[in-house]
């Protein structure tokens, strides 16, 4: 009904009375805009390769305005790594009401196919991926590959994924919508947006086991104007990760966990430059997670992270509730470097709940040479989930203000007034007019 309504809204209709012939023609036009993969030869038994049918249905739908490629309810369709490319006519809908899945495990992955990605949507504008169905990545066998360690249930280290496919990737596209679907058990990242602009994600459910490695729920990079709303994400890595080149990201109404929390970064890896700005995370619940909200950068990087707001966040048994880490490293071989991604204008407001006492709930580890600046703490109240706090909140070279008392107290935050004076010499040219005697002024350019 939504598909028909969309088409009829755009159709130029006669304002006068319609004959039965007119109504019949209109309904035929509506039907012609729905491209059911079953009509293109898809079997839907979960084992037959239905890729050719999907490719043919895509080509047909791509050429029609406001068309719908339909993956019908009641069937399981198996397809291999596929590129769905544009440009297409505007208003294209990829509607998954059934189950869509790749082959099970790396041994069954076609050798000719990319092992880095499965479904790729490329160079599209005004396109939606939606429906009431499930996209299942069959990730278990990928998680067990002996490439990257991950933690087992008893604390033991087990192998993990290497060269594993991202389940869904949107690349170099604009005005995208992802909604309604259940996306689960990805071999690696569940959904990735790269080089996109204008992204709306609403009411999606993303799920994989807590110990599944590198299964970020939603990852965005080099992408701007993103909204992520009313969604539930539980997985083995960040529920949402924000990479370099992201601007204007709004996250609201998300339930996250178990996971590694909501992360900006990691940024600046291998001495690269990364810029992220204007990110808002609000009205979020994070539960049973290794981290809450965090910013992580590598030593040696360059660029900036600015204008970040974490607001109205409920923590439930979260380890490391609020983190800024400019010493991020995934191994023990990282060397100290002086350059760093600059972090400033970060606010934590109305952050409340409980934390895992194995780590301090607040941890701000900033670069020796590039301090974190203008951190604001307000209405932060975090209590032990069980037991007593072992270590106090940690700060290193972090400047900011507490608008209200913080629980637990964060007495390690440095006075912002000194940082502002020093930062002027590094980042701005400031003009001062200093009165000399009664009438003259000396013009000082400090930069």
């Amino acid at each position: 009904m939504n598909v028909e309504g969309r088409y009829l809204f755009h159709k130029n209709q006669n304002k006068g009375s319609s004959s039965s012939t007119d109504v019949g023609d209109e309904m035929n036009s509506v039907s012609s805009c729905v491209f059911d993969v079953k009509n293109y030869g898809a079997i839907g038994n979960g084992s037959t390769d239905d890729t050719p049918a999907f490719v043919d249905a895509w080509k047909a739908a791509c050429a029609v305005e406001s068309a719908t490629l339909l993956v019908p309810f009641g069937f399981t369709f198996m397809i291999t790594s596929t590129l769905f490319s544009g440009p297409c006519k505007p208003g294209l809908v990829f509607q998954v009401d059934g189950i869509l899945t790749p082959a099970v495990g790396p041994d069954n992955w076609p050798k000719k196919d990319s092992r880095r990605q499965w479904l790729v949507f490329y160079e599209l504008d005004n396109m939606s991926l939606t429906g009431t169905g499930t996209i299942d990545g069959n990730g278990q066998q990928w998680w067990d590959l002996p490439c990257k360690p991950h933690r087992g249930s008893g604390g033991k280290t087990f192998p993990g994924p290497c060269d594993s496919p991202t389940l869904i990737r949107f690349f170099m596209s604009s005005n995208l919508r992802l909604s309604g679907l259940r996306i689960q058990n990805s071999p690696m990242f569940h959904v990735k947006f790269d080089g996109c602009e204008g992204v709306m994600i609403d009411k999606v459910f993303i799920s994989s086991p807590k110990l599944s490695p590198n299964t970020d729920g939603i990852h965005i990079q080099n992408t701007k104007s993103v909204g992520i709303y009313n969604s539930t994400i539980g997985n083995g890595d960040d529920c949402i990760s924000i990479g370099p080149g992201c601007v204007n990201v709004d996250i609201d109404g998300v339930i996250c966990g178990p996971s590694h929390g909501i992360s900006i970064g990691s940024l600046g890896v291998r001495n690269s430059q990364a810029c992220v700005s204007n990110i808002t995370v609000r009205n979020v619940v994070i539960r049973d997670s290794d981290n809450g909200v965090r910013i992580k950068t590598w030593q040696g990087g360059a660029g900036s992270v600015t204008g970040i707001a974490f607001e109205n966040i409920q923590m439930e048994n979260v380890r490391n509730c609020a983190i800024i880490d400019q010493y991020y490293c995934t191994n023990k071989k990282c060397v100290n470097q002086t350059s760093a991604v600059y972090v400033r204008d970060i606010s934590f407001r109305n952050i409340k709940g409980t934390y895992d006492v194995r780590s301090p709930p607040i941890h701000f580890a900033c670069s020796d040479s590039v301090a974190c600046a203008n951190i604001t703490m307000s209405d932060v109240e975090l209590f032990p989930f069980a037991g007593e706090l072992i270590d106090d909140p940690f700060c290193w070279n972090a400047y900011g203000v507490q608008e209200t008392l913080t629980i637990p107290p964060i007495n390690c935050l440095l006075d912002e007034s000194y940082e502002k004076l020093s930062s002027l010499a590094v980042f701005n040219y400031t003009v001062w007019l200093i009165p000399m005697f009664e009438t003259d002024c000396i013009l000082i350019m400090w930069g």
Side-chain angles (χ1 to χ4, degrees):
M1 293 301 297
N2 290 336
V3 172
E4 294 178 2
R6 182 195 306 271
Y7 181 80
L8 293 175
F9 178 81
H10 289 289
K11 183 178 178 65
N12 292 324
Q13 300 183 39
N14 191 330
K15 294 183 180 180
S17 60
S18 298
S19 67
S20 59
T21 302
D22 294 333
V23 173
D25 290 342
E26 185 174 89
M27 293 305 296
N28 288 333
S29 297
V30 171
S31 299
S32 68
C33 287
V34 178
F35 298 84
D36 188 330
V37 294
K38 294 280 287 180
N39 295 334
Y40 289 81
I43 304 301
N45 60 10
S47 58
T48 301
D49 184 1
D50 289 321
T51 308
F54 273 72
V55 171
D56 290 344
W58 174 266
K59 290 179 179 178
C62 180
V64 178
E65 185 173 350
S66 300
T68 296
L69 186 154
L70 177 63
V71 182
F73 174 78
F75 300 92
T76 298
F77 300 91
M78 190 276 288
I79 67 173
T80 61
S81 178
T82 306
L83 172 65
F84 297 101
S85 64
C88 294
K89 296 290 187 180
L92 178 58
V93 177
F94 195 119
Q95 183 168 323
V96 180
D97 290 336
I99 298 173
L100 187 57
T101 183
V104 178
D107 292 340
N108 295 313
W109 199 265
K111 296 186 182 302
K112 63 179 179 62
D113 287 358
S114 169
R115 290 169 67 100
R116 295 295 184 90
Q117 51 201 13
W118 179 49
L119 300 182
V120 182
F121 297 94
Y122 173 61
E123 283 196 340
L124 296 166
D125 180 62
N126 192 11
M127 179 261 179
S128 299
L129 177 60
T130 186
T132 59
T134 299
I135 299 177
D136 192 321
N138 288 325
Q140 180 64 56
Q141 294 183 26
W142 294 93
W143 304 330
D144 293 335
L145 289 177
C147 299
K148 182 178 179 181
H150 64 283
R151 191 180 66 234
S153 57
K156 183 179 178 182
T157 298
F158 289 92
C162 183
D163 203 16
S164 304
T166 291
L167 199 62
I168 304 169
R169 184 188 183 200
F170 293 90
F171 182 49
M172 300 297 291
S173 297
S174 58
N175 301 314
L176 303 170
R177 183 178 182 89
L178 173 64
S179 64
L181 293 168
R182 182 183 185 96
I183 304 169
Q184 62 190 31
N185 299 323
S186 175
M188 202 165 173
F189 292 2
H190 285 76
V191 185
K192 181 178 181 180
F193 294 87
D194 188 358
C196 298
E197 181 176 2
V199 175
M200 171 69 74
I201 303 170
D202 187 41
K203 296 178 181 176
V204 297
F205 185 92
I206 296 175
S207 175
S208 62
K210 181 178 181 179
L211 300 179
S212 58
N214 292 110
T215 53
D216 292 45
I218 298 171
H219 176 77
I220 60 175
Q221 63 185 45
N222 300 314
T223 294
K224 55 186 178 180
S225 301
V226 179
I228 304 174
Y229 304 122
N230 309 312
S231 297
T232 300
I233 305 171
N235 56 301
D237 211 304
D238 298 330
C239 61
I240 299 172
S241 54
I242 300 171
C246 291
V247 181
N248 298 333
V249 179
D250 187 35
I251 301 169
D252 195 331
V254 171
I255 298 175
C256 171
S259 72
H260 292 182
I262 297 176
S263 295
I264 297 173
S266 59
L267 306 174
V269 63
R270 293 185 291 274
N271 304 104
S272 62
Q273 178 172 314
C275 294
V276 173
S277 63
N278 196 18
I279 313 295
T280 301
V281 180
R282 58 189 172 188
N283 304 322
V284 165
V285 176
I286 302 176
R287 56 169 62 110
D288 299 321
S289 296
D290 286 351
N291 303 289
V293 291
R294 65 173 171 169
I295 300 169
K296 50 182 180 177
T297 70
W298 294 77
Q299 293 187 77
S304 64
V305 178
T306 60
I308 314 299
F310 301 111
E311 302 176 353
N312 304 331
I313 298 176
Q314 181 69 30
M315 303 284 183
E316 298 178 7
N317 189 27
V318 174
R319 190 175 181 179
N320 306 311
C321 295
I323 308 175
I324 299 175
D325 182 8
Q326 290 188 284
Y327 298 89
Y328 181 74
C329 180
T330 56
N331 57 62
K332 297 181 180 180
K333 299 180 181 180
C334 296
V335 297
N336 290 331
Q337 300 183 59
T338 56
S339 62
V341 177
Y342 187 58
V343 177
R344 71 170 300 140
D345 301 333
I346 316 297
S347 64
F348 300 86
R349 301 181 186 276
N350 195 25
I351 315 294
K352 298 182 179 181
T354 59
Y355 61 89
D356 185 325
V357 297
R358 290 178 294 171
S359 302
I362 300 170
H363 185 96
F364 299 151
C366 300
S367 167
D368 288 334
S369 55
V370 185
C372 300
N374 197 21
I375 299 172
T376 302
M377 309 291 291
S378 179
D379 293 320
V380 177
E381 298 178 2
L382 299 167
F383 298 91
F385 180 76
E388 296 181 359
L389 174 65
I390 299 174
D391 297 317
D392 292 331
F394 175 82
C395 306
W396 181 262
N397 209 22
Y399 290 83
V401 296
Q402 296 183 73
E403 294 181 345
T404 65
L405 293 178
T406 299
I407 302 174
I410 180 169
N411 300 320
C412 56
L413 203 60
L414 298 176
D415 186 356
E416 183 75 16
S417 59
Y418 173 79
E419 190 281 328
K420 284 182 178 178
L421 184 61
S422 62
S423 67
L424 290 173
V426 179
F427 295 100
N428 296 306
Y429 287 97
T430 302
V431 178
W432 285 359
L433 293 175
I434 301 178
M436 296 294 293
F437 304 105
E438 294 184 5
T439 58
D440 298 326
C441 290
I442 296 177
L443 180 65
I444 297 179
M445 294 290 290
W446 185 15

